[in-house]
Amino acid sequence: MTGISDSEKFETSRPRLLGLAYRMLGSMADAEDAVQDTFVKWQGTDQAKVSNPDAFLTTVCTNRCLDFLKAAHRKRVDYVGPWIPEPLQTETGTDPEADLERAESLTTAFLLLLERLTPKERAAYLLREVFGKSYAEVAETLEMSEPACRQLVSRAARFVRSQSTRSIPTAEQQDTFLKAFLKAIETGSTDSLAGLLTESVQLRADSGGKAPSISRVIEGVEVVNFITRAISRLWDRDRMIELEINGVRGLAQLEGDRIVTAMTLGYTSDGIVDQIYVIRNPDKLERLLTPTQHDAGSGGLWQ
């Protein structure tokens, strides 16, 4: 990287670091803080002694995220109601399937799946399986032996494969569901909608106690009833907009020039909806109108 300034070296890595940190933390604000802390550490380092800037920055950012996760765990104990990652309005470009592995790793369903791994399992899995780092690099980042690192990744990968919450369906399948959903809240008829939901479909809403919302996870027939009896009364079709949220098409409800509710979805590998996520926490909706660019090839994010 001769001829490139230290700041330019960092800026080249920033989108990738932000993509890693957001997937680790589920919060863009925290991810930006972790990346900024990494920049401060980089500035205070004698770069001439850093043989591999990319590895150095990845290690610093990953470990800063692990620190954030320790603090987040304590905060989650007091969180009111279900917790859902902060939604992002994504722009995946003309070929969102350029690297489906990384694109799928941005979905809300997948980010919630990562929450069920230990922090180190999450870091190891993302570094190896999503960002393509070698086992040696992952082991060095996490200060583990390589055999222990392989076991960590293997355990996380088995768990991820055992779940069916990672799929991005075709645009046609997504369009079919959104049309059926809108018809259900406009007419009260669920004939088209019910067949597009799994029998065990779940709906969870995240308000953080800061907006009226259902405070428990509901499932099955109760979900359909909730859509027609509650959502149809509260959502105004004239104030709804369609957005790509974390790589999947979803809906948002406007109040003036701000979003007050967002909905995104989780799909099975057959393109059937098995998860509905409703976000009402105003803190998580502040930046949803601002598009976030996602490079599926690198996993990088930037706004």
Side-chain angles (χ1 to χ4, degrees):
M1 303 181 76
T2 304
I4 301 178
S5 70
D6 295 332
S7 292
E8 288 173 329
K9 292 177 185 177
F10 181 83
E11 291 305 320
T12 298
S13 297
R14 183 187 289 274
R16 180 182 54 78
L17 296 175
L18 190 59
L20 170 64
Y22 173 73
R23 288 171 171 88
M24 284 277 292
L25 303 173
S27 162
M28 184 58 84
D30 288 346
E32 289 174 339
D33 286 346
V35 172
Q36 184 60 28
D37 291 347
T38 303
F39 177 63
V40 172
K41 183 69 176 285
W42 174 248
Q43 283 186 311
T45 300
D46 183 356
Q47 281 92 13
K49 296 181 179 179
V50 179
S51 60
N52 187 335
D54 179 74
F56 175 87
L57 294 171
T58 298
T59 295
V60 173
C61 186
T62 299
N63 284 288
R64 191 70 189 100
C65 287
L66 291 173
D67 292 338
F68 270 79
L69 286 174
K70 292 177 184 176
H73 177 71
R74 292 191 291 270
K75 292 179 182 177
R76 299 276 173 81
V77 173
D78 299 321
Y79 198 81
V80 178
W83 181 91
I84 298 173
E86 177 188 346
L88 300 180
Q89 181 190 162
T90 48
E91 292 186 348
T92 51
T94 58
D95 187 11
E97 295 185 0
D99 190 329
L100 198 56
E101 185 83 3
R102 289 195 179 99
E104 290 174 341
S105 72
L106 196 64
T107 64
T108 299
F110 184 70
L111 295 178
L112 279 172
L113 184 62
L114 292 180
E115 288 287 311
R116 296 164 64 184
L117 300 175
T118 68
K120 279 203 169 183
E121 284 175 340
R122 190 183 313 184
Y125 180 85
L126 286 170
L127 289 170
R128 172 62 186 169
E129 300 297 326
V130 176
F131 289 90
K133 298 298 181 183
S134 68
Y135 283 110
E137 290 174 309
V138 178
E140 183 177 1
T141 294
L142 298 179
E143 298 182 334
M144 303 173 64
S145 68
E146 190 170 329
C149 175
R150 287 178 177 273
Q151 288 185 339
L152 199 65
V153 173
S154 177
R155 187 163 61 243
R158 282 198 305 272
F159 174 73
V160 170
R161 286 194 299 270
S162 72
Q163 308 300 307
S164 60
T165 56
R166 190 169 179 166
S167 300
I168 296 180
T170 65
E172 291 76 17
Q173 287 172 316
Q174 295 182 56
D175 185 58
T176 296
F177 178 83
L178 290 181
K179 285 181 178 178
F181 180 86
L182 291 172
K183 182 178 179 181
I185 65 173
E186 287 174 348
T187 67
S189 172
T190 61
D191 293 344
S192 300
L193 181 65
L196 302 175
L197 302 170
T198 64
E199 291 185 1
S200 59
V201 62
Q202 293 184 332
L203 184 149
R204 68 191 69 217
D206 179 341
S207 71
K210 299 180 180 182
S213 177
I214 189 168
S215 60
R216 60 186 177 85
V217 178
I218 60 176
E219 186 172 337
V221 175
E222 195 174 4
V223 172
V224 178
N225 292 336
F226 182 77
I227 290 172
T228 55
R229 295 177 184 175
I231 292 182
S232 61
R233 287 188 293 103
L234 299 173
W235 288 38
D236 184 345
R237 179 67 181 90
D238 293 333
R239 294 187 289 118
M240 292 171 61
I241 58 174
E242 187 175 310
L243 296 175
E244 181 182 287
I245 301 176
N246 288 68
V248 178
R249 290 167 64 188
L251 297 170
Q253 179 83 352
L254 292 171
E255 191 172 281
D257 59 355
R258 65 190 182 93
I259 293 177
V260 294
T261 307
M263 182 190 78
T264 185
L265 306 159
Y267 290 85
T268 68
S269 58
D270 297 327
I272 306 299
V273 172
D274 65 350
Q275 299 289 335
I276 300 175
Y277 308 106
V278 178
I279 302 97
R280 302 214 69 222
N281 186 336
D283 297 341
K284 296 185 177 184
L285 298 171
E286 288 180 352
R287 66 177 81 207
L288 188 54
L289 281 174
T290 302
T292 298
Q293 300 292 325
H294 176 232
D295 181 355
S298 69
L301 296 173
W302 64 96
Q303 291 186 317

